[in-house]
Amino acid sequence: MSAFSRAFSGRHSKMDIVYFIFFVSHIPITLLIDSQPLLPVEWIPKPLLALTSFQTDVLGDPFMIVGPRARPDMTWFRSLLACELVLQMPFFFYAAWALWTNCPRRHAPLLIYGVHVATTMLPILSMLYRGNIDRPCSTRAMLAGIYMPYLLIPLAMAYESYTHCAAALSALTKPKKS
């Protein structure tokens, strides 16, 4: 049995494992991919730039265009990426640790994170659905499918964390029997 299996056996829900994988995988994605539209092209290593070019040129992603081809009307999206890099990135480490150790105080921060990220994903998915992007419907649907886990996992996290927080608050405010 691997260390991962031992650490997560019995003490964690299946969703805790999903959340842990979500946060751990998000660290390299944020650093290596999502940060690229915020950087000058010459700072980005060629293999990483090729990966983002595949995402934009082959998959048709209008958001991740890097360099002079970047659309000026996507400043709102780049501001979300800056928040991801500055605000969310440190939280990924905390969340991974809290899930790994089964920290009982993890639910309020996960609730806040889940609601925040779900809120930021709505304009992205709306742009794919009805926005001013020159992509066929099939490309928009495929891109929505790529972005959808970044809405659904945080929503599930927010819901599950809310139920834990509500139960804890209910227990604290329950009238004591005399």
Side-chain angles (χ1 to χ4, degrees):
M1 185 180 270
S2 72
F4 180 81
S5 298
R6 280 192 305 276
F8 276 95
S9 61
R11 299 181 347 185
H12 297 78
S13 71
K14 287 185 170 97
M15 290 308 291
D16 279 346
I17 298 168
V18 169
Y19 304 149
F20 177 80
I21 293 168
F22 176 83
F23 285 116
V24 169
S25 68
H26 223 69
I27 293 167
I29 290 169
T30 299
L31 289 174
L32 301 176
I33 305 300
D34 292 353
S35 63
Q36 287 187 34
L38 305 173
L39 300 172
V41 177
E42 52 276 0
W43 290 11
I44 304 168
K46 297 285 185 237
L48 294 177
L49 194 55
L51 185 59
T52 306
S53 293
F54 175 81
Q55 185 176 348
T56 58
D57 298 342
V58 177
L59 300 179
D61 189 329
F63 303 116
M64 296 299 292
I65 298 171
V66 176
R69 296 182 319 133
R71 292 176 50 169
D73 63 333
M74 293 293 179
T75 301
W76 65 270
F77 180 76
R78 287 187 288 283
S79 71
L80 294 178
L81 292 177
C83 286
E84 179 182 355
L85 191 62
V86 174
L87 302 174
Q88 293 178 32
M89 183 66 178
F91 181 76
F92 298 157
F93 290 95
Y94 165 79
W97 169 84
L99 289 159
W100 181 264
T101 62
N102 208 17
C103 178
R105 290 186 219 115
R106 70 187 180 275
H107 299 292
L110 291 177
L111 169 62
I112 294 165
Y113 172 82
V115 170
H116 165 70
V117 172
T119 303
T120 64
M121 288 308 300
L122 290 175
I124 294 167
L125 292 168
S126 296
M127 185 73 166
L128 288 173
Y129 179 65
R130 298 288 297 198
N132 184 20
I133 55 173
D134 185 25
R135 305 291 188 275
C137 186
S138 60
T139 300
R140 289 173 184 247
M142 183 215 32
L143 289 169
I146 290 170
Y147 281 100
M148 193 61 70
Y150 298 100
L151 170 67
L152 297 178
I153 292 172
L155 272 179
M157 186 183 307
Y159 175 76
E160 184 178 348
S161 297
Y162 170 77
T163 60
H164 283 277
C165 290
L169 287 172
S170 179
L172 286 173
T173 59
K174 196 175 206 177
K176 296 186 183 193
K177 295 179 184 176
S178 14

